[in-house]
Amino acid sequence: MKRIHQIYVNGRFVDPHGTETMQLVNPSTREVLGVVTLGDEHDTRDAIAAAKTAYATYDRSTLEERATYLKRLHDAVRARSRDLVEVMIEEFGGTRFFCEDIIRRAIDAFPHATEVMQSFQFVRPAGKATVHMDPLGVVGIITPWNASAAFVCSKLAMALAAGSTAVIKPSELSACQTQILTECFHAAELPPGLFNIVNGRGDVVGTELTRHPDIGKISFTGSTAVGKTIARGAAETMKRVTLELGGKSPNVLLDDADFAQAIPLAVMSAFMNSGQACLAGTRLLVPEGRLDEAKRLLVQAVSAVRVGPPGDAATQIGPLVTQKQYERVQGYIRLGIEEGAELLIGGEGPPPGLEAGYFPRPTVFTGVTNDMRIAREEIFGPVLSVLTFKDDEDAIRIANDTDYGLQAYVSGGDPERAHRVAQRLVAGRVFINGLFDEPHAPFGGFKQSGLGREFGTYGLEAYLEPKAVMAPG
Ligand code: NAD
């Protein structure tokens, strides 16, 4: 059994002042795999003080110094990539394919931030003024459990590239992953205080970060409900906030789309990370006239999805992260039936033989209308809702009729028409005829999917504030 009883403050592993403990459960077996001691407000304030002291000199560091630190972090995380994958599979239950991808992203976050920083214009003219893009002070980083290492690394890398220091509060459910990541960061031998890591509850450590006057910015990824709490709390001290929140992303199949390609892609996008993905395409919009064909292909594609132990290379859906998340997903499957949707495949309960863990059955509902809760609320499990539309205008109307706006997908045979539809969708990213990855492209949401953007130049700018300097001559 793992015992994680220290936090990381001012370049050292230290015993926290907090005494509350929490059990960590393996979602594949429901066995207790560890126990973590949680930090409290006192620990958070110590971490903020260390980051503030470090910031007093780090804000004037050269880009060369920052690049050196980022390179050391990169090398240290890469050296433990195998450990990071294995602990993520064990603690979170992510599939091997997904965990390997996430750890690759975590590693790549450091050279990405370096590259963006090195080509960024930190000083630029504006008429007779000179504008300096200044860092925002100590940054509070708060992250969720569904891709912990990637969120922590990408936010920390950008904060350091901007000239900020950081206090990181990862999800309390990711303590084993956090431990290994912290050991990596420690091995990079950065000056003390540049980053500090406090395991703890959101309503304790997260609230203190949000409240504290010495935090200049919060970079948060998580649920929309918590994002709103943070935005409200941050307003008191006018902290800058970047909020990466939930989604209910539409996937529009135009009537000239090649369904043989588009439907397997739709299933993949809906069920990525066992459905625990903010950008999952969970509302599939199908032209009325092609519904029967879509249903046939959906049954075929979903029947072929392998649910099983997350460590197996062939597994496509693993367990959900916790009992609570499992019950939440089961509740939505029951709700879909009660709301009158037609259960095309899947349903309540675990797949046969997988009763030991929190394994869900990949589920598809047809006959869904956009007023049903299963079409409006983020479920965060492998549950896909299929809706029909009459024409392109109707598809655009239904796709945009949502509180969210993180991601959207379009498939169609005529690229110009698909682009025209994509142009009208209210979403931070739109994928046409495929799934893509571009680290320089901004990532973030419209509407209740968040505030601000991450990655690339847009992501670095979110950690900076313009200061205009004017003088005679
Ligand atoms: P969550 O909002 O419950 O928790 C996220 C983090 O916030 C955790 O570290 C938690 O401890 C902390 N927290 C909780 N209450 C807090 C408070 N009052 N003040 C400050 N911090 C607090 O989210 P989760 O369940 O860990 O993750 C799932 C959610 O994250 C989903 O809604 C998903 O869509 C979203 N998400 C969004 C993105 C994105 O980039 N847009 C990516 C991944 C996940």
Side-chain angles (χ1 to χ4, degrees), residues 142-146 151 169-172 200-203 206-207 210 220-224 226 229-230 244-247 278 378 380 406 443 449:
I142 305 176
T143 54
W145 40 259
N146 64 339
F151 294 127
K169 193 214 90 62
S171 171
E172 56 277 37
R201 284 179 20 189
D203 58 358
T207 300
T210 307
F220 171 77
T221 297
S223 61
T224 294
V226 172
T229 304
I230 290 175
E244 296 290 355
L245 311 177
C278 53
E378 186 182 50
F380 232 52
L406 187 62
F443 180 77
S449 285

Side-chain angles (χ1 to χ4, degrees), residues 57-394:
T57 46
Y58 188 70
D59 69 330
R60 277 165 287 126
S61 54
T62 63
L63 297 194
E64 288 70 31
E65 282 173 281
R66 294 178 200 174
T68 305
Y69 297 152
L70 291 167
K71 173 79 172 71
R72 282 199 228 152
L73 287 167
H74 169 256
D75 293 347
V77 175
R78 195 174 53 175
R80 302 277 308 269
S81 60
R82 262 202 212 161
D83 295 344
L84 286 163
V85 169
E86 296 307 326
V87 73
M88 188 175 172
I89 292 171
E90 185 184 34
E91 182 180 49
F92 165 62
T95 62
R96 182 165 294 282
F97 173 80
F98 180 78
C99 294
E100 284 175 352
D101 182 54
I102 288 304
I103 300 307
R104 204 166 24 247
R105 282 166 195 271
I107 294 167
D108 290 349
F110 299 104
H112 173 68
T114 308
E115 188 192 338
V116 173
M117 172 188 80
Q118 284 171 336
S119 60
F120 191 80
Q121 238 190 315
F122 283 91
V123 181
R124 39 181 107 154
K128 291 188 199 118
T130 305
V131 176
H132 297 255
M133 299 300 284
D134 281 359
L136 286 162
V138 179
V139 172
I141 292 174
I142 305 176
T143 54
W145 40 259
N146 64 339
S148 184
F151 294 127
V152 169
C153 289
S154 64
K155 288 176 194 289
L156 176 63
M158 276 299 179
L160 292 176
S164 273
T165 58
V167 177
I168 304 166
K169 193 214 90 62
S171 171
E172 56 277 37
L173 298 171
S174 311
C176 296
Q177 297 165 76
T178 299
Q179 177 65 22
I180 295 191
L181 203 54
T182 312
E183 288 168 12
C184 295
F185 293 173
H186 179 66
E189 297 186 326
L190 266 48
L194 286 201
F195 67 88
N196 304 269
I197 302 180
V198 184
N199 282 316
R201 284 179 20 189
D203 58 358
V204 178
V205 177
T207 300
E208 184 62 20
L209 285 173
T210 307
R211 187 201 65 76
H212 202 288
D214 288 340
I215 294 284
K217 173 195 167 87
I218 297 274
S219 179
F220 171 77
T221 297
S223 61
T224 294
V226 172
K228 288 178 184 178
T229 304
I230 290 175
R232 275 192 292 268
E236 195 55 43
T237 45
M238 272 310 157
K239 283 181 184 50
R240 280 34 182 175
V241 288
T242 298
L243 304 173
E244 296 290 355
L245 311 177
K248 190 76 190 178
S249 302
N251 186 350
V252 181
L253 307 191
L254 297 173
D255 61 12
D256 60 352
D258 176 358
F259 277 22
Q261 282 201 353
I263 296 272
L265 263 178
V267 169
M268 215 190 285
S269 103
F271 295 166
M272 62 173 92
N273 198 14
S274 310
Q276 301 167 121
C278 53
L279 43 73
T282 48
R283 284 187 301 144
L284 183 63
L285 276 55
V286 176
E288 270 173 2
R290 294 186 70 184
L291 179 62
D292 288 343
E293 186 189 352
K295 281 177 158 180
R296 186 173 47 76
L297 289 166
L298 277 165
V299 170
Q300 221 175 65
V302 176
S303 309
V305 169
R306 297 198 43 177
V307 187
D312 289 1
T315 293
Q316 291 161 296
I317 290 185
L320 300 175
V321 66
T322 54
Q323 169 101 34
K324 188 172 159 209
Q325 191 62 23
Y326 180 76
E327 278 165 10
R328 174 186 161 90
V329 172
Q330 300 304 311
Y332 273 106
I333 296 173
R334 275 195 299 281
L335 178 68
I337 295 165
E338 281 160 25
E339 286 184 305
E342 174 199 339
L343 186 62
L344 181 70
I345 185 166
E348 269 192 82
L354 290 170
E355 294 78 7
Y358 308 130
F359 293 92
R361 289 163 73 191
T363 297
V364 180
F365 283 108
T366 51
V368 178
T369 53
N370 215 29
D371 55 348
M372 292 182 184
R373 282 181 55 202
I374 57 163
R376 304 205 74 82
E377 297 175 15
E378 186 182 50
I379 297 174
F380 232 52
V383 182
L384 175 63
S385 293
V386 181
L387 301 92
T388 55
F389 63 84
K390 293 185 194 332
D391 54 24
D392 291 6
E393 280 304 315
D394 199 30

